[in-house]
Amino acid sequence: MSQTLNCVELLRRAVRPTTFVQSRTLSELAGANVVIASETFQHTGSFKFRAAYNVVQQTNAPHLIAASSGNFGQALACACQLLSKRCTVVMPATSAQVKIDAVRRYGGVVELVDTTKVSRADRVKQLALEHTDAQVVSAYDDQLVIDGNSSLGEEIIECGEKFDAIIVPVGGGGLASGIVRALQRHNDQTPVYGAEPKIANDASRSLQEGKIIRNDDEPQSIADGARTLSLGLNNWPILQSGLRTIIEVEEADIENAVRVLFTAANLKVEPTGALTVAALLAQKNTFTKQNVCCIVSGGNVDAAVYRRILENA
Amino acid sequence: MSQTLNCVELLRRAVRPTTFVQSRTLSELAGANVVIASETFQHTGSFKFRAAYNVVQQTNAPHLIAASSGNFGQALACACQLLSKRCTVVMPATSAQVKIDAVRRYGGVVELVDTTKVSRADRVKQLALEHTDAQVVSAYDDQLVIDGNSSLGEEIIECGEKFDAIIVPVGGGGLASGIVRALQRHNDQTPVYGAEPKIANDASRSLQEGKIIRNDDEPQSIADGARTLSLGLNNWPILQSGLRTIIEVEEADIENAVRVLFTAANLKVEPTGALTVAALLAQKNTFTKQNVCCIVSGGNVDAAVYRRILENA
């Protein structure tokens, strides 16, 4: 444990501290005292840098490979660049150019795959066989990823507020596991709530049924960071014991939360980043008059998508 | 001076500290190391709260009156509410409902005037005669306003970075004067550059001609915080001696800077808030390889305006 703590301390010198944002308007709207822990100004614009940097820092491999069409790819490429390692990110050939460019800007090699012919996972396996010095990295199902994300939990614990609840977005479960792990390390009993899109509710169903439930297909939630098929094996036991519950959020409520954060808090967030505020506003009764920390996981959203969401503001 | 410093210390317990944001992409684009001091998460969403709170805190009057259709009105209403004083804000009858609502949300009384019949300044004078216990407050031309804004300068001085340049937006000159005053207080020689819309360049012309030049009409820059007719009398001597120069910025460059901050820094800013980044990008040669602090003055922009600006992203 002290080994892990030392690594987390080392990591915290590399990451940017989270940004705590308060909005009186949002607090009034929620009927609670809301503190946002925003990872939108983290390196590469999302919390994923915490996990990526920790993996790259702690592995001996000179070359990291991951499948990611989103924030983890950028974060891994950036961490590899900072620590002078090679990075390959497998992305669908249909990925937005802006996301491909972002990985390349950080010196990552992008491997585009025609996913109608070969799955991303299979291409990653092929690459791992070709590059025997490389290590394949999961964006969420990995103890080093969880430890990396726990650094955000440490910051929340140390921020000077005593929270009645922490709400965290749930996709593969890497961030939620990290927050729970940090609290457990400090014997901190603050309840942690997950926030998950209703149309991608595998984690919520998993908690209810007591075993990992998988989505049949990648759910097409606007919260693209929560489009995972299931919780990771490493995340599951931590979340099963550590999450109070998971709040399922409607798609329209996610978009509304993006607008609320724009209007009431001056925060530009990606839809996945708005999940926790959507959950808070959907379950006001649960949090009435409480001191609530909502984690905003990232801010990377295409201008066109953002413009469409703002149409109804 | 120590009296002023004590008041600034008192003020700093009431304001939210500024948010320092870094973006590698923005720094690469500028060819400089850029640190943004963002006031978008300040109470009421702009730096104006610093000045408003300082005035309300230091005056004995139980009632404050100001003319403002923008951020100062909200800030004054909020400060008066926090310090249990009355507040009246004179606004044109044509003001956006969202701005009227914002003042009222903080308990301010809104006096709408038909500006084709009576000027806002005249209505303020009438109100001052009606309310003999009230004090009229300027948004920028006031020593207490300048002292209040100097609290942001203190934070920049203390942030741990040694800057080669600080760029600050210039409208009436209240913020720029505050930054210069803080630096002078500490004998800090860091050059301060103003950023002003080219179509509202009265301050730039004033510096060049050595006397206050007034715009004939309110210039219709998209940076609505810089639509002032001229620098204030209190601001003029401070800026004449304290500003290195003022960079004039094209309207298109202001909109581009709003987009750059959205894309490269995940920051939602109002057009006036983007002036300094626009100036930095317009005069890259001046700041090459320097460590530059750009002050982003506020984030309050209507969704419709923001959507239009993002169209070209």
Side-chain angles (χ1 to χ4, degrees):
Chain A
M1 185 58 90
S2 71
Q3 173 77 28
T4 302
L5 255 183
N6 287 342
C7 292
V8 171
E9 282 310 308
L10 213 59
L11 172 64
R12 286 183 64 184
R13 289 179 216 158
V15 301
R16 295 184 183 142
T18 202
T19 306
F20 291 102
V21 172
Q22 287 192 271
S23 153
R24 205 171 116 178
T25 313
L26 174 59
S27 288
E28 284 171 5
L29 208 57
N33 182 49
V34 185
V35 177
I36 293 164
S38 179
E39 286 285 289
T40 59
F41 308 119
Q42 188 53 262
H43 292 283
T44 68
S46 86
F47 77 97
K48 294 281 189 184
F49 180 79
R50 295 174 183 268
Y53 193 91
N54 197 45
V55 170
V56 179
Q57 167 185 268
Q58 292 204 52
T59 183
N60 291 323
H63 183 180
L64 288 299
I65 300 175
S68 167
S69 54
N71 286 327
F72 189 70
Q74 279 185 61
L76 189 68
C78 180
C80 283
Q81 190 178 54
L82 289 170
L83 294 165
S84 303
K85 299 195 175 189
R86 278 172 293 135
C87 175
T88 303
V89 180
V90 176
M91 304 176 79
T94 52
S95 300
Q97 191 62 39
V98 60
K99 297 193 172 174
I100 296 170
D101 291 344
V103 172
R104 288 184 177 148
R105 197 182 316 126
Y106 296 112
V109 172
V110 175
E111 276 278 333
L112 295 175
V113 288
D114 179 347
T115 51
T116 61
K117 291 182 182 150
V118 56
S119 80
R120 282 199 282 169
D122 285 342
R123 183 68 189 122
V124 166
K125 281 180 200 156
Q126 284 173 3
L127 285 167
L129 290 173
E130 287 168 29
H131 301 278
T132 50
D133 63 344
Q135 181 178 318
V136 175
V137 188
S138 161
Y140 53 91
D141 193 4
D142 183 311
Q143 293 297 338
L144 292 178
V145 162
I146 297 169
D147 286 341
N149 292 332
S150 79
S151 63
L152 177 55
E154 298 285 334
E155 291 181 35
I156 292 171
I157 291 165
E158 291 168 14
C159 80
E161 293 272 352
K162 177 75 193 102
F163 293 112
D164 300 308
I166 299 171
I167 315 182
V168 51
V170 177
L175 178 55
S177 305
I179 302 301
V180 168
R181 176 161 286 175
L183 292 170
Q184 288 174 343
R185 214 183 268 147
H186 292 267
N187 288 316
D188 185 316
Q189 306 294 321
T190 310
V192 180
Y193 294 78
E196 188 180 37
K198 182 169 269 179
I199 65 169
N201 67 351
D202 59 281
S204 173
R205 287 186 289 139
S206 299
L207 281 194
Q208 285 163 36
E209 302 192 22
K211 61 178 184 192
I212 297 181
I213 306 288
R214 290 173 66 83
N215 294 306
D216 298 330
D217 302 299
E218 200 175 85
Q220 292 307 299
S221 170
I222 190 163
D224 54 2
R227 287 182 188 169
T228 36
L229 290 179
S230 75
L231 292 172
L233 291 174
N234 287 281
N235 315 109
W236 169 243
I238 300 172
L239 298 183
Q240 191 179 24
S241 66
L243 279 190
R244 172 71 57 100
T245 187
I246 290 179
I247 299 167
E248 297 183 23
V249 182
E250 304 278 358
E251 293 295 295
D253 290 343
I254 300 171
E255 296 198 9
N256 180 56
V258 171
R259 287 190 293 271
V260 165
L261 287 165
F262 174 91
T263 305
N266 279 340
L267 258 183
K268 174 212 168 186
V269 307
E270 60 184 81
T272 311
L275 273 171
T276 54
V277 169
L280 171 73
L281 295 176
Q283 299 239 333
K284 286 187 194 176
N285 289 344
T286 307
F287 303 104
T288 306
K289 295 195 177 165
Q290 290 194 1
N291 201 20
V292 182
C293 179
C294 286
I295 296 176
V296 165
S297 54
N300 301 328
V301 54
D302 285 346
V305 173
Y306 200 72
R307 287 184 61 238
R308 187 191 59 68
I309 293 175
L310 283 191
E311 256 174 48
N312 303 314
Chain B
M1 187 57 92
S2 72
Q3 172 77 29
T4 302
L5 256 182
N6 287 343
C7 291
V8 170
E9 281 310 307
L10 213 60
L11 173 63
R12 286 183 63 182
R13 289 179 215 156
V15 302
R16 295 184 183 143
T18 201
T19 305
F20 291 102
V21 173
Q22 287 191 271
S23 152
R24 206 171 115 176
T25 313
L26 174 59
S27 288
E28 283 172 6
L29 208 57
N33 182 47
V34 186
V35 176
I36 293 164
S38 178
E39 286 286 288
T40 59
F41 308 120
Q42 188 52 265
H43 291 283
T44 69
S46 87
F47 78 97
K48 294 280 187 185
F49 181 78
R50 295 175 184 268
Y53 194 91
N54 198 44
V55 170
V56 179
Q57 168 185 267
Q58 292 205 51
T59 183
N60 291 323
H63 183 180
L64 288 300
I65 300 176
S68 167
S69 53
N71 285 327
F72 189 69
Q74 279 186 60
L76 190 68
C78 179
C80 283
Q81 191 178 53
L82 288 170
L83 293 165
S84 303
K85 299 195 175 190
R86 279 173 293 135
C87 176
T88 304
V89 180
V90 176
M91 304 176 78
T94 52
S95 300
Q97 190 62 39
V98 60
K99 297 192 170 173
I100 298 170
D101 291 345
V103 173
R104 288 185 176 147
R105 197 182 316 125
Y106 295 113
V109 171
V110 175
E111 275 279 332
L112 294 176
V113 289
D114 179 347
T115 50
T116 62
K117 291 182 182 149
V118 57
S119 80
R120 283 198 280 170
D122 284 343
R123 184 66 189 125
V124 166
K125 282 180 199 155
Q126 284 174 1
L127 286 166
L129 290 173
E130 288 168 27
H131 302 278
T132 50
D133 62 345
Q135 181 177 317
V136 175
V137 187
S138 161
Y140 52 92
D141 193 3
D142 183 310
Q143 293 297 339
L144 292 179
V145 163
I146 296 168
D147 286 341
N149 293 333
S150 79
S151 63
L152 176 56
E154 298 284 335
E155 291 181 34
I156 291 171
I157 291 166
E158 292 168 13
C159 80
E161 294 271 353
K162 177 76 192 100
F163 293 111
D164 301 307
I166 299 171
I167 315 181
V168 51
V170 177
L175 178 55
S177 305
I179 301 301
V180 168
R181 177 161 285 176
L183 291 170
Q184 288 174 343
R185 214 184 268 145
H186 292 268
N187 289 316
D188 185 317
Q189 306 293 322
T190 310
V192 180
Y193 294 79
E196 189 180 37
K198 182 168 271 181
I199 65 169
N201 67 351
D202 59 280
S204 174
R205 287 186 289 139
S206 301
L207 280 194
Q208 285 163 34
E209 300 191 23
K211 62 178 186 192
I212 298 180
I213 306 289
R214 291 174 65 85
N215 295 306
D216 299 328
D217 302 297
E218 199 175 88
Q220 293 305 300
S221 170
I222 188 161
D224 53 3
R227 287 182 189 169
T228 37
L229 289 180
S230 74
L231 292 172
L233 291 174
N234 287 281
N235 315 109
W236 169 242
I238 301 173
L239 296 184
Q240 193 179 23
S241 67
L243 279 190
R244 173 70 57 101
T245 187
I246 290 180
I247 300 167
E248 298 183 22
V249 182
E250 303 279 358
E251 294 295 294
D253 291 343
I254 300 172
E255 296 198 10
N256 180 56
V258 171
R259 286 189 293 271
V260 165
L261 287 166
F262 174 92
T263 305
N266 279 341
L267 258 184
K268 174 212 169 186
V269 307
E270 60 185 80
T272 311
L275 273 171
T276 55
V277 169
L280 171 73
L281 295 176
Q283 298 238 336
K284 285 187 196 178
N285 288 344
T286 306
F287 303 105
T288 305
K289 295 196 176 163
Q290 290 194 0
N291 201 19
V292 183
C293 179
C294 286
I295 297 176
V296 165
S297 54
N300 301 329
V301 52
D302 286 347
V305 173
Y306 200 72
R307 287 184 62 237
R308 188 191 58 69
I309 293 175
L310 283 191
E311 257 173 46
N312 302 313

